[in-house]
């Protein structure tokens, strides 16, 4: 399944079970927005990330951005406490993580906490944990400050979005102990 198909499955589940949350998601990014972001970051986006952002760019409107938090997006989706990043939020977090030598810490190139080839697409507000796509091979990994970074948690963004769709399906059938759909929204307990 492609990233577009997997994301479409997620959006269909949201539209059916959480229409109020679905309605809050913004429209797509443009090629011009992505090209400008690539130029500012100095790295090309992976094709899956590009495809996803061209389907839906979850950046908050400028007036809703909180300068006091490291990252901002549509809170509560895909899970409580984290959210998908739009291109502006990705750029901001990427700028905080990237280093002049290409990896951090500089003395551990084989086991870094962060590599410049990783572009975050999901984060908490502090930027302490989240998921990234490796632009070299499209694998999805996760980081948590103070812990070892996991590369290749999912073989692709499509596989990751499949897992999000599976979670939404469990919520819809009532088998999630921590989330439910109420009045058209995801509600975490």
């Amino acid at each position: 399944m492609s990233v577009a198909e997997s994301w479409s499955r997620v959006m269909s589940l949201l539209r059916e079970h959480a229409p109020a949350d679905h309605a809050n998601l913004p429209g797509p990014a443009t090629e011009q927005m992505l090209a400008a972001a690539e130029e500012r970051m100095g790295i090309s986006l992976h094709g899956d990330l590009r495809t996803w952002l061209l389907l839906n760019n979850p950046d908050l409107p400028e007036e809703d951005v909180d300068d006091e938090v490291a990252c901002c997006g549509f809170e509560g989706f895909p899970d409580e406490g984290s959210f998908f990043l739009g291109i502006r939020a990705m750029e901001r977090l990427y700028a905080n993580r990237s280093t002049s030598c290409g990896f951090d810490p500089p003395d551990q190139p084989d086991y870094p906490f962060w590599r410049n080839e990783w572009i975050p697409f999901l984060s908490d507000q502090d930027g302490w944990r989240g998921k990234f796509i490796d632009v070299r091979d499209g694998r999805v990994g996760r980081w948590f400050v103070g812990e070892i970074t996991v590369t290749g948690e999912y073989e692709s963004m499509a596989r990751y979005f499949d897992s999000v769709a599976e979670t939404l399906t469990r919520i819809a059938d009532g088998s999630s102990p921590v989330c439910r759909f109420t009045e058209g929204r995801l509600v975490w307990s």
Side-chain angles (χ1 to χ4, degrees):
M1 190 173 283
S2 73
V3 70
E5 293 167 325
S6 294
W7 183 249
S8 177
R9 185 173 162 220
V10 169
M11 291 293 93
S12 293
L13 287 161
L14 270 182
R15 188 173 25 261
E16 179 181 351
H17 300 288
D21 286 336
H22 181 270
N24 285 340
L25 292 171
T30 64
E31 281 289 348
Q32 294 80 7
M33 291 168 69
L34 299 183
E38 287 175 323
E39 187 173 326
R40 286 187 295 269
M41 290 190 298
I43 192 166
S44 295
L45 301 177
H46 185 272
D48 283 355
L49 183 59
R50 176 177 288 285
T51 297
W52 176 61
L53 288 166
L54 289 170
L55 293 170
N56 193 51
N57 176 23
D59 265 329
L60 288 176
E62 285 287 338
E63 62 272 8
D64 293 341
V65 173
D66 183 351
D67 290 329
E68 299 298 315
V69 297
C71 296
C72 50
F74 288 87
E75 195 170 10
F77 176 68
D79 59 39
E80 184 177 37
S82 65
F83 41 79
F84 290 119
L85 303 175
I87 193 66
R88 284 190 325 264
M90 281 179 201
E91 277 188 78
R92 186 174 178 181
L93 185 53
Y94 182 81
N96 285 338
R97 296 275 176 234
S98 62
T99 66
S100 60
C101 73
F103 46 87
D104 180 30
D107 62 340
Q108 295 184 19
D110 296 328
Y111 302 101
F113 168 70
W114 191 261
R115 297 188 70 82
N116 287 1
E117 295 91 358
W118 299 341
I119 299 179
F121 68 91
L122 178 124
S123 180
D124 65 344
Q125 283 190 335
D126 298 323
W128 287 22
R129 67 176 172 87
K131 297 202 182 300
F132 60 84
I133 185 168
D134 190 323
V135 300
R136 298 171 299 177
D137 57 17
R139 293 181 308 148
V140 171
R142 73 173 188 266
W143 85 91
F144 194 113
V145 172
E147 293 184 8
I148 295 173
T149 299
V150 176
T151 58
E153 181 181 23
Y154 296 92
E155 68 184 50
S156 66
M157 283 188 84
R159 291 280 191 199
Y160 170 69
F161 289 142
D162 284 344
S163 75
V164 173
E166 290 166 13
T167 298
L168 291 173
T169 300
R170 282 193 302 278
I171 294 167
D173 69 20
S175 59
S176 172
V178 297
C179 189
R180 65 188 182 289
F181 292 112
T182 303
E183 298 178 5
R185 296 202 177 274
L186 283 162
V187 177
W188 300 88
S189 48

